[in-house]
């Protein structure tokens, strides 16, 4: 691949705000990324959410009603800040970050969500007692899906 094409791709990447691009021409390929190849775990603080999102399809509505209890007025839902795979512990043999009944503090790691091979630690945005964990280890989660109820 011509070096002028690579330079032009870099310029386009910078102008567009895209994080990564990969181009293949025949057997040649080039990947240009703004992110390092082996990033450290990122930290996200879950945004406050007062109620679970409404189900978009009629078939999903019964599942949502059965799978998660509704929070009461003194409880707050901590939702997933991204799409990915939920993990309750740092490794399969490690103990979970939090369990039902645990007291959590603001900034304490609650779980990990793996997104695009990156492990993102999800931190509590409020303190309190964990009254419900609404995802199971290894479950896929959607943006805004309730993960924890804290009172």
């Amino acid at each position: 691949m011509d070096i002028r094409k690579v330079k032009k791709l870099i310029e386009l990447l910078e102008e567009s705000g895209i994080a990564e691009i990969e181009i293949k021409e025949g057997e040649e390929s080039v990947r240009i990324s703004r992110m390092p190849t082996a990033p450290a775990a990122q930290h996200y603080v879950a945004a406050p959410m007062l109620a679970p999102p409404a189900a978009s399809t009629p078939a999903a509505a019964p599942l949502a009603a059965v799978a998660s209890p509704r929070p009461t007025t003194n409880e707050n839902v901590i939702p997933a800040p991204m799409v990915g795979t939920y993990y309750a512990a740092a490794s399969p043999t490690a103990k979970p970050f939090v369990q039902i009944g645990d007291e959590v503090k603001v900034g304490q790691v609650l779980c990990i969500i793996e997104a695009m091979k990156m492990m993102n630690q999800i931190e509590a945005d409020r303190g309190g007692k964990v009254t419900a964990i609404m995802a199971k280890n290894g479950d896929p989660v959607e943006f805004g899906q309730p993960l924890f109820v804290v009172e």
Side-chain angles (χ1 to χ4, degrees):
M1 191 171 287
D2 187 3
I3 191 71
R4 290 179 296 235
K5 287 183 181 180
V6 174
K7 286 182 179 180
K8 186 66 176 173
L9 287 172
I10 292 170
E11 289 173 12
L12 290 171
L13 187 75
E14 290 173 350
E15 292 171 5
S16 69
I18 296 173
E20 183 175 307
I21 189 169
E22 183 174 0
I23 304 293
K24 292 183 182 180
E25 286 184 356
E27 292 184 20
E28 295 179 333
S29 70
V30 65
R31 172 181 278 167
I32 303 170
S33 177
R34 292 179 181 211
M35 299 167 32
T37 56
Q42 294 181 353
H43 297 274
Y44 289 90
V45 175
M49 184 171 158
L50 298 177
S56 59
T57 61
L63 258 178
V66 171
S68 61
R70 297 278 176 178
T72 61
T73 56
N74 63 339
E75 294 179 322
N76 293 301
V77 173
I78 298 177
M82 66 185 69
V83 174
T85 304
Y86 171 90
Y87 294 108
S91 71
T93 58
K95 80 177 208 112
F97 291 109
V98 294
Q99 296 177 345
I100 294 175
D102 288 354
E103 289 289 329
V104 295
K105 297 177 182 138
V106 174
Q108 180 176 340
V109 176
L110 300 173
C111 66
I112 292 175
I113 295 182
E114 178 187 1
M116 296 176 61
K117 305 288 185 202
M118 292 179 59
M119 300 298 180
N120 303 288
Q121 293 183 344
I122 309 305
E123 299 176 349
D125 62 344
R126 66 183 59 86
K129 182 178 178 181
V130 177
T131 58
I133 299 175
M134 299 181 184
K136 293 189 179 1
N137 202 38
D139 281 355
V141 294
E142 296 292 326
F143 173 79
Q145 176 180 336
L147 296 178
F148 301 93
V149 177
V150 177
E151 81 175 13

